[in-house]
Amino acid sequence: MIIESVALVSLPGAPAYQEKLYQAHMDTGEDVLLFQAHWDVPLPPESLVGLTVEEARRRRAERMLAAAGLRG
């Protein structure tokens, strides 16, 4: 499954710490919640288009580690 588009969405009734989530629309027609947005780790939604869910999650983890100074 390949990501066709990504949007930042809010879930109704979600707690404040889940204010925005990345939601991917897959090439299969399915919508998948990828992960929570973090203010200190900017990740443009369009940068995830064309990736698999696993690749998108790995890219986010790499960005978070880099922001924490644990990875160059």
Side-chain angles (χ1 to χ4, degrees):
M1 294 192 315
I2 302 296
I3 296 172
E4 287 189 335
S5 63
V6 178
L8 285 171
V9 299
S10 295
L11 295 179
Y17 66 86
Q18 286 184 337
E19 187 173 306
K20 293 284 185 183
L21 298 168
Y22 285 80
Q23 182 176 20
H25 181 75
M26 309 305 291
D27 61 353
T28 60
E30 180 182 7
D31 288 329
V32 176
L33 290 176
L34 294 173
F35 40 73
Q36 178 180 329
H38 290 277
W39 65 272
D40 57 342
V41 183
L43 185 61
E46 61 274 6
S47 70
L48 304 174
V49 172
L51 302 177
T52 65
V53 171
E54 294 80 18
E55 290 168 333
R57 290 180 176 155
R58 187 175 14 219
R59 181 171 291 182
R60 174 185 179 250
E62 290 170 356
R63 297 275 307 240
M64 291 180 79
L65 289 172
L70 300 174
R71 218 170 155 171

